[in-house]
Amino acid sequence: AFLSRTAGAWSLAERLLREAAADPTLARSAHPTLAGLLGTAAARASDPAQRTGLLEDARSHARCALEADRSDPVRHLTAGELALRAGDTGMARGLLLKTVALSTTYPGRGLLVPVPFPFDQDGFRIQWERAAWTGSDAFCAAVPSLLAARAWRRLGDLAETSGDPVRAVEALVEAV
């Protein structure tokens, strides 16, 4: 969180993560981290051209993250939310539905589970980070349902903006 407050720290972190992404042993964690950080930077950018560039960079890293591990629902959720932000609704829908499907078999336990994009300052993020850092068994057990609920929430947003109230209600019911 502090990286987003300091331009120098952000530049350094971005450079280090890009170098890590080039290393095959570090790429597995660097790409998803870059996708989330660049997606957050895009959401906060005031210049439309900069926002578009950052979002495309974020999506590129999200694609690399998916290629590295297609069984990880967190990576699908991040890629789906970035696609939704970019207006690629077909891709977003597919990725979010895949998130829901994968979350049913996701172990959660024993894994380092990143905070899904976007890094909003809301209750979801704060509780996610607090539980993840403590390694809480309850958190690990709840990860699959948290991922599925967030994906269903985004699918509801997608259905609502497309003017399909039936799908919006279905997504809301699934999320609850």
Side-chain angles (χ1 to χ4, degrees):
F2 82 94
L3 293 177
S4 63
R5 295 187 184 118
T6 311
W10 165 254
S11 297
L12 177 63
E14 184 181 7
R15 193 179 92 232
L16 291 172
L17 283 167
R18 286 186 190 277
E19 288 174 11
D23 181 329
T25 58
L26 298 175
R28 182 171 168 77
S29 59
H31 284 297
T33 304
L34 272 167
L37 288 174
L38 291 169
T40 301
R44 294 181 179 168
S46 56
D47 176 38
Q50 183 184 25
R51 184 177 26 243
T52 300
L54 287 166
L55 188 55
E56 285 309 309
D57 282 351
R59 291 187 73 194
S60 172
H61 286 287
R63 283 189 291 275
C64 290
L66 276 175
E67 289 170 13
D69 187 354
R70 293 211 172 263
S71 66
D72 185 347
V74 176
R75 293 169 191 241
H76 281 80
L77 180 62
T78 299
E81 290 191 337
L82 288 167
L84 189 59
R85 179 134 338 188
D88 189 349
T89 56
M91 176 68 77
R93 182 169 172 67
L95 288 164
L96 293 169
L97 287 171
K98 186 70 173 178
T99 300
V100 172
L102 289 172
S103 68
T104 61
T105 59
Y106 192 59
R109 182 176 309 286
L111 301 171
L112 176 61
V113 183
V115 179
F117 169 83
F119 294 136
D120 294 331
Q121 293 292 342
D122 62 8
F124 178 84
R125 175 187 173 218
I126 292 165
Q127 291 304 315
W128 181 283
E129 286 182 341
R130 182 176 296 139
W133 278 111
T134 62
S136 160
D137 287 341
F139 170 73
C140 291
V143 164
S145 58
L146 286 171
L147 291 169
R150 189 164 177 108
W152 278 116
R153 187 177 316 137
R154 294 297 180 251
L155 285 163
D157 294 345
L158 184 60
E160 191 174 319
T161 58
S162 70
D164 189 348
V166 173
R167 277 196 176 158
V169 169
E170 288 172 353
L172 177 64
V173 169
E174 287 289 336
V176 176

